[in-house]
Amino acid sequence: MSVKIKNAITQLIDTIDKKPQVATSVFRASAFSETDSFAVRSQIRGFTTTIDEPLELGGTDTGPNPVEMLLAALGGCQEIVYRAYAAVMGLEIERIEVHAKGYLDLRGLLNLADVPSGFSQISFTAKIISDEPEEKLHQLAKMVEKHCPVMDSLMREVAVTGKVEVVKSGDTAAPPKVVLSEIAND
């Protein structure tokens, strides 16, 4: 059990118990494409990562593609929540692995058939290496499945809003013009 993780989570719980208004957080990510390729630079806090498509889908294979990032986010989030709850529950976990896979019909993306463009199914296997009692690990797994933010976001309907803005080249000082219809108001 990580004392550092336990202390951080316990302190966060105490802070939110005392001031529930600080519980709402906003996370941000931006993506930029400035080349004539599928390679995208994604900026998240102080981190930059490349998102691309594999060669067989027309990319340059310089990074995972967006749907692979989604699967990695699911696995990574589960592993973090496992570590957090294990620390608070006083459980020793040697290793956690999450292997996720998603089933996607490319005809939806390519407008070749009236099928969803996103995953039709996502499955995962979480492997916990630990000498803790099976009952405790089962309890831990139930907590993770109930409280993992990425899993929760994937399993329920989430409102998505957005708009498309157009700025003419060389005129970045001008206010952007909103084109098309907005998905919903921000």
Side-chain angles (χ1 to χ4, degrees):
M1 168 194 65
S2 169
V3 174
K4 180 180 173 184
I5 292 174
K6 181 178 181 176
N7 290 343
I9 298 299
T10 303
Q11 183 177 1
L12 181 60
I13 290 169
D14 290 344
T15 299
I16 292 173
D17 271 346
K18 291 174 186 161
K19 290 183 168 182
Q21 66 273 20
V22 301
T24 301
S25 297
V26 176
F27 294 86
R28 292 173 172 78
S30 299
F32 307 90
S33 174
E34 300 167 331
T35 63
D36 191 20
S37 74
F38 286 143
V40 174
R41 180 174 41 96
S42 181
Q43 190 73 40
I44 305 161
R45 289 185 286 133
F47 304 98
T48 301
T49 187
T50 300
I51 301 171
D52 197 355
E53 289 291 340
L55 297 172
E56 58 271 16
L57 294 178
T60 54
D61 206 24
T62 58
N65 71 20
V67 293
E68 292 166 328
M69 294 289 283
L70 179 68
L71 295 173
L74 173 61
C77 190
Q78 284 190 350
E79 291 179 26
I80 289 168
V81 177
Y82 267 108
R83 289 285 178 196
Y85 275 96
V88 171
M89 294 169 68
L91 302 176
E92 291 289 338
I93 305 293
E94 183 180 324
R95 181 179 169 98
I96 305 164
E97 297 176 11
V98 177
H99 303 276
K101 61 181 169 182
Y103 299 85
L104 193 135
D105 186 336
L106 292 176
R107 295 176 304 159
L109 167 68
L110 300 172
N111 195 31
L112 296 173
D114 190 18
V115 297
S117 54
F119 287 128
S120 61
Q121 178 184 348
I122 295 173
S123 63
F124 68 89
T125 300
K127 182 178 181 181
I128 304 168
I129 300 169
S130 174
D131 290 330
E132 295 289 349
E134 218 173 286
E135 181 180 308
K136 292 278 188 187
L137 296 174
H138 180 74
Q139 182 183 7
L140 174 63
K142 288 285 189 199
M143 294 297 283
V144 171
E145 289 177 13
K146 185 174 181 181
H147 298 288
C148 173
V150 173
M151 182 184 293
D152 178 65
S153 296
L154 289 170
M155 293 184 68
R156 66 181 170 81
E157 191 171 316
V158 175
V160 177
T161 62
K163 60 187 172 189
V164 176
E165 297 177 344
V166 173
V167 177
K168 297 292 182 185
S169 296
D171 197 12
T172 57
K177 178 181 174 187
V178 176
V179 297
L180 304 176
S181 58
E182 293 188 22
I183 295 174
N185 291 331
D186 275 335

